[in-house]
Structure formats: C-alpha cells, structure tokens
Amino acid sequence: MSVAEGVRRGPMDELRERLVLELRERLVDQALSLPLGNQAALSKVAELAESGAEVDDIVSQALLDEGFVAMLLRLANSAASASVTSINDLNTAISRLGLSLVGCLAISAPSLRLLAAPSDGLEEPRRELHRHGVLTGIVARELAEGGKEGDRALAAGLVHNVGLSVLSLHAKSGFKKLMAAAEQGDRLADVEAKLFGFTHAEVGTILAQAWQYPEELVAAIRDHDAPIPSSRLAAIVQIADLLVRERGIGIEARGEISGAALEVAGIARVDALEVGASLLDPGEDGQTPRHPLVAALETVA
C-alpha cells in the first residue's frame, strides 16, 4: 500500500471493513447452523462415490438421510434414467444413476435445502431461485457433454447461487432491495458491493469451503459472475446461468455471455445458444421443453 493510500484510509474505512467482515461471517455461521439433513452422511456418500466404493457401502450412508434417498428414487424413476420398470430399492437406484451423479447430488443436497424455508413472504423468490438452479444445472450438464464432467456441471449449476439463498434467509431486507434492483436491470454484484460490501458469490464460496466442497465446485460458485472464470467448469456454469436468465428465469437481470467465458469453456457461441434453445425455448406446440430431470429435481432434496 502506498503512503497516499494509507493516508486516505481513515478510522471510518477500517470500521466499515470490520463491520462488513462481521456481517459476512454472521451470515455464513447462520447458514451453517441450519438443520440441512445429515451432512456427515452426505459427505461420506460423496467420498465413497468418488473412490468407487461398493454400492452397499454407499447405500448404508445414504439411508441415514431420508430426503436424499427420496431424491435418488425420484431420479432413478424419471424418464431421464430410461427406467422401464419402477425402482423401489436404493441399491438399484444408485446403480442406475451411477456413482458419479450420486456423489455430485450428495454434495449439492445441503445447498438445495437452504431454499426450504418457513413462510416469510419470500417463498416465491426462493422457488424461482430453485427453478433457476435446476435449469442452470441441466443446461450446464448438456454444455459439458455428459460423463463425469456433466455430472459435476449439474451439481455446480444446482448450487452456484447458494449465496443468494443465504441472503434470502438471513438478510431479507437487503435481499428485497436486490430483487428491486434486478427488476431495473442492474447487475447484482455491483449492487451487493454497495449494499453489503461483498457479493453473494463470496458468501457462497465461504459456505462451500466450510462444507468442504471439492475445489472445482468452490471455484464455480466463486467465479460464476466473474469477468474471466478460472476454470472450464466455472465458465460452463456462467454460460448456463446466463442462458437461463435470458429466458427471464430466476431473480437476476439478463446479461451478455462474454467471449472470455466461451473461450475458457471451449464452446462456440452458436453451440451454446443452440443448447439453450433446445432446452429452454417453446417448441412447435408452444410448450417449453421439459427436460426429464426437472421433475425429479424440482422438489427440494
């Protein structure tokens, strides 16, 4: 820091910085204190799935979280899994879905549960946040072209706005101001910096680190609004986020997909737009295409 900068920085600046840090820490602590299911069991599921453990071992941990079991069964019985017969046991469900997807869903479950809040007048915005996250995850999965990268992209899309979920729960007055600003077309990161002194991406990053998310998922949360995303996964999530927002889905204003994000993702603009259109635009019958995963994921885990 230069001498001039040191002179310009006075007691009020230091006080504001301290208050900003205290507020951010309090928001994260409040989120961490919420009953969001059996997080120890979910973390173990993710760990076992990543290591390629036996399905029986994963089942024993998954059974400790009833909501997670219900979500896995919904997914296994969805059209996306190409299941002909109804699946009622968890072993078959996990085998059908694959360890990679199961592990990613275990990681994302606590973030999704933040949106299952008591009645406080913000239920509709939270439902819209959840809908946006589900569609962002589905679009990101398609942009990543399936496989393990596709599963990670789905999880990252599902949780990229976890910081906004926290603000909707523990900074309600500020959250309402953000919604009003978004309706005017303002970029949330700019408004948040003035209103709170930090962004929802920063809050989400700290929370994801506390939950011991994989680093690539932490980076996707941190960089989903960044000018230049630091990884392909973060860039894919940013592109998917903007494709969904372009359709007016979510609480944020529309934005332009940057050339930098496309370059980091290794995706041509025309291809990204085509994926968005195929998953989000109305078909010839006037109905918006409904991806099979939507029905399974739209209920909070």
Side-chain angles (χ1 to χ4, degrees):
M1 177 185 294
S2 69
V3 174
E5 288 174 330
V7 171
R8 286 198 299 270
R9 182 178 171 78
M12 292 304 296
D13 297 310
E14 295 178 359
L15 175 61
R16 183 177 187 277
E17 181 177 308
R18 186 167 69 251
L19 291 174
V20 164
L21 291 174
E22 289 176 356
L23 173 59
R24 192 177 67 187
E25 290 174 4
R26 184 166 70 250
L27 289 172
V28 172
D29 287 343
Q30 287 173 316
L32 289 172
S33 68
L34 292 172
L36 301 175
N38 192 328
Q39 295 188 21
L42 291 170
S43 295
K44 189 63 177 179
V45 167
E47 177 187 327
L48 290 170
E50 178 65 24
S51 66
E54 295 294 328
V55 171
D56 284 345
D57 294 333
I58 296 174
V59 167
S60 66
Q61 291 297 317
L63 285 171
L64 299 175
D65 191 302
E66 292 182 5
F68 183 59
V69 170
M71 181 172 70
L72 292 181
L73 290 173
R74 285 198 307 273
L75 280 168
N77 284 294
S78 71
S81 70
S83 178
V84 177
T85 58
S86 178
I87 295 173
N88 298 308
D89 69 282
L90 198 53
N91 290 66
T92 305
I94 290 174
S95 298
R96 169 79 65 176
L97 295 171
L99 299 190
S100 174
L101 179 56
V102 169
C104 289
L105 291 170
I107 289 170
S108 61
S111 297
L112 297 178
R113 287 169 178 165
L114 281 172
L115 296 169
S119 299
D120 58 4
L122 291 173
E123 297 92 338
E124 184 56 38
R126 291 196 192 97
R127 279 193 291 269
E128 191 66 6
L129 273 176
H130 182 59
R131 179 174 175 239
H132 174 83
V134 169
L135 291 174
T136 298
I138 289 170
V139 173
R141 189 174 190 241
E142 187 70 18
L143 290 171
E145 299 181 349
K148 287 187 176 181
E149 185 184 37
D151 292 337
R152 289 192 291 267
L154 172 63
L158 287 171
V159 305
H160 75 285
N161 268 340
V162 62
L164 274 178
S165 300
V166 173
L167 295 179
S168 80
L169 287 169
H170 302 302
K172 296 177 184 179
S173 176
F175 182 75
K176 291 175 182 177
K177 292 178 181 178
L178 290 180
M179 289 194 298
E183 289 178 0
Q184 299 299 315
D186 294 334
R187 182 173 177 268
L188 286 197
D190 298 331
V191 180
E192 289 167 337
K194 296 176 182 178
L195 189 61
F196 300 115
F198 51 80
T199 67
H200 69 272
E202 292 178 62
V203 174
T205 299
I206 296 170
L207 186 57
Q209 290 171 330
W211 280 339
Q212 298 184 323
Y213 277 11
E215 178 52 37
E216 62 178 354
L217 199 56
V218 174
I221 293 170
R222 183 189 66 226
D223 294 346
H224 75 269
D225 285 331
I228 304 178
S230 62
S231 68
R232 172 172 158 81
L233 180 62
I236 285 174
V237 170
Q238 182 177 125
I239 294 166
D241 172 31
L242 289 166
L243 286 169
V244 175
R245 282 160 54 185
E246 180 62 30
R247 274 74 182 177
I249 301 169
I251 67 165
E252 296 181 76
R254 292 171 171 81
E256 180 69 24
I257 297 174
S258 71
L262 291 165
E263 182 176 352
V264 174
I267 298 173
R269 185 180 299 273
V270 64
D271 293 335
L273 295 177
E274 183 178 337
V275 168
S278 67
L279 293 174
L280 303 168
D281 287 351
E284 293 182 359
D285 60 358
Q287 299 296 315
T288 300
R290 188 173 174 82
H291 192 281
L293 280 174
V294 172
L297 292 170
E298 63 187 356
T299 301
V300 177

